[in-house]
Amino acid sequence: MSDDLDDLKAMMRAATPKPDADRKAADLALARKNFADLQEVRDGARQTSDRPKAGLVRGVTDMLMRMNTRGALTATTALVALGMVVVVPDWQNAPALRGAQPVVTEADGDMADAVRRKAPAPEAAEEMVLDVAPAEEPAPEAEAPRPVPMPSPQVARPESGVAKQGQMAPQAMQSQALSDAEGYAGSAANTTPVGRIARPDADDGVVLPESDTEAFPEAAPNALKITGEEPVSTFSIDVDTASYGVVRSSLRAGYLPPREAVRIEEMVNYFPYDYAAPKGGAPFEPTVSVTDTPWNRDTKLVHIAIQGEVPPVADRPPLNLVFLIDTSGSMQAANKLPLLKQSLALMLPQLTERDSVAIVTYAGSAGQALAPTPATERETVLGALDRLEAGGSTAGQAGLQQAYALAGEMSGDGEVSRVILATDGDFNVGISDPEALKDYIAEQRESGTYLSVMGFGRGNLDDATMQALAQNGNGQAAYIDTLSEAQKVMVDQVTGALYPIADDVKIQVEFNPAAVVEYRLIGYETRALRREDFNNDRVDAGDIGAGHQVTALYEITPVGSPAQMSDPLRYGEAEAVRGDAGELGYFKLRYKAPGEDESRLIEQAIVEGAEAGSEARFAAAIAGFGQLLRGETYLGDWGYAEAIALANGAKGEDPFGYRAEAVQLMRLAESLSR
């Protein structure tokens, strides 16, 4: 093939006449003369719109025109690559984006202006020509271009209602917040939520992520106890469920929850169980059983179950509710105040003509948004809710004071008064310290008004404050992240949330050293009480509402088990008083009937008997799930796969799908933990 091409080239060269230098010079001279005659300028140079070939655009154009095809392709490819270097940030090191677009603001300087600028008009094209050094002189080394700053993948939010250039309007932000399922992403190594609404800095206009101010109670896991040294365990019951909601919102958003946000007792108590109903006139019935430990075949689980009674609707006392609603600026996100309004609207049909409702708001200062109104006047109540808007700082102290005062005015003989605080927990005006709030609420609960807390949203969720309020206000804490959760809390379980059947409920378990060498209480770290507190009726404890259930789990090590973790003492142990060798321990419970000052006692022995059923096994699966999330060391090689299998095998009927949802969360946690 190459020989044929060579022959063709030779034939073409032979057929082409050789150039005549004299003829070429004459033709050029004639062409110049004709051109000058046509232009009517023979003595001077004709003016032209072309500037000297020293500009960047002109020079590059001339260079490309002089190149052959291969050279032009090489040059243009290099220019495209240069453009990508200038405009595109370091994608490899950028965090994962969840639908957010790059935001370029005026404060980003000339580079940002260049990115935003449209193509210049024809008459302005010459203004873009930049002079450079002559070709024979080396051009000075250009300064490296500044990359366009990429914001964290946040939804931009201007402080005002008008979006700045490159930012999303508030309506678009709220739509994205809902569709993004709380808009968080992360991993076990990086639990920084993304997709949260961002706040531009007032000084330079750069969109910065809103600082993460979430706070959770810090409590170390319960330590393993040696029965011969410390045989008695005492704690207050807990029917809060907020921790499970926080865990769910974290996992659904794509990151593992903070370790301190996982409270195992609240995860276990989130689910309804088929426990034995009370009998004999008691407000609740305790059931204690013993089962094998899923993660350690050489230990046992003591399963304590308490079922509260559900009185007939006609026997319930009238209810006075004061909705204390946080309308501060931090509540404007779609999963905060808007979801809060929907949640309270779901509750209204559950109330009767004997119940009353009032609304107090706080944001900078407190105010009454709705005077005491019969609960059946729903249009009036819904209208007051609909008019609420978010803005200002969070004057929590003033709101609490006004809500308690209003509840006191509404209360009557034989009626139940309750303040329902709905907030993201961000108290930044007035009392903001959890301990100070604890003392204030402790003083107010003596009036007989209960306090429940509902948390909304993430980013500045102050779970520690919410826990302090609920635990000391004779009420419960729940976290609402979806309308389905609002249905569960405000409709399905509203009776237990609003009508108390027992106050200051305490549990004490004494283990028998002759049968149990070691034990540990799983969860309830923030509810621990001293041994002497059990019989002290002045010590506050948890409360149980109508139909509420309480579950507690102890892992115990039988005497002689190879699972024993403590070594025997060198000088021997003190002689323990031995009880019946057939008893593993002794269970005691104290409670007060609402309005009474003296507690009542329920007690029974803990013995091994029939194996616990599916309810105890499912509770164990959730307890194991919580320990895995916390990274506790008692589980050995038992992991998420085993927890999933155990939960699947003990789901039972699961009419509302809560247990199936838990299995899905376990699967998400397993993937995120890898």
Side-chain angles (χ1 to χ4, degrees), residues 7 19 52 90 126 134 194 247 331 343 356 380 408 481 497 575-576 580 643:
D7 294 341
D90 185 1
E126 290 298 325
V194 298
V247 168
M331 290 289 291
S343 302
S356 299
T380 302
D481 55 338
E575 186 66 24
D580 185 346

Side-chain angles (χ1 to χ4, degrees), residues 155-361:
V155 181
R157 181 187 69 194
E159 293 295 347
S160 66
V162 181
K164 295 182 180 179
Q165 182 175 4
Q167 294 177 334
M168 298 178 65
Q171 295 86 349
M173 294 187 304
Q174 294 182 358
S175 298
Q176 177 157 342
L178 282 179
S179 63
D180 242 2
E182 289 70 55
Y184 289 83
S187 65
N190 176 18
T191 58
T192 302
V194 298
R196 188 181 302 123
I197 294 176
R199 178 180 59 203
D201 188 88
D203 296 331
D204 57 18
V206 177
V207 178
L208 297 175
E210 187 175 10
S211 59
D212 189 342
T213 59
E214 292 191 339
F216 300 93
E218 296 184 6
N222 287 323
L224 186 73
K225 304 292 185 180
I226 300 175
T227 310
E229 299 174 359
E230 193 174 346
V232 179
S233 171
T234 309
F235 64 96
S236 164
I237 62 95
D238 188 2
V239 292
D240 294 342
T241 60
S243 179
Y244 184 85
V246 173
V247 168
R248 177 179 56 205
S249 73
S250 299
L251 293 174
R252 282 183 171 177
Y255 70 99
L256 293 172
R259 182 178 183 274
E260 61 273 15
V262 181
R263 291 185 293 276
I264 297 175
E265 71 279 5
E266 294 187 19
M267 295 183 64
V268 172
N269 285 316
Y270 176 84
F271 301 90
Y273 296 94
D274 186 16
Y275 291 158
K279 54 187 177 182
F284 41 78
E285 178 77 15
T287 302
V288 184
S289 59
V290 181
T291 185
D292 293 332
T293 305
W295 50 85
N296 192 336
R297 63 182 181 181
D298 295 317
T299 65
K300 299 284 186 180
L301 281 185
V302 175
H303 177 259
I304 299 172
I306 298 174
Q307 173 67 59
E309 67 173 347
V310 183
V313 176
D315 295 342
R316 297 172 186 167
L319 188 64
N320 301 309
L321 294 180
V322 179
F323 295 145
L324 176 56
I325 299 177
D326 182 353
T327 55
S328 62
S330 64
M331 290 289 291
Q332 65 181 307
N335 61 347
K336 294 187 179 182
L337 185 58
L339 179 59
L340 185 159
K341 294 179 182 180
Q342 293 176 311
S343 302
L344 295 182
L346 290 177
M347 176 191 287
L348 288 178
Q350 313 305 313
L351 305 178
T352 69
E353 66 278 358
R354 298 186 302 159
D355 304 325
S356 299
V357 174
I359 298 176
V360 173
T361 64

Side-chain angles (χ1 to χ4, degrees), residues 82-91 93-94 102-105 107-116 143-151 206:
L82 175 62
M84 291 297 292
V85 170
V86 171
V87 176
V88 179
D90 185 1
W91 293 102
N93 295 327
V103 178
V104 181
T105 64
D108 295 335
D110 297 337
M111 207 61 188
D113 292 336
V115 173
R116 289 196 304 267
E143 181 180 355
R146 290 190 298 117
V148 178
M150 285 293 294
V206 177

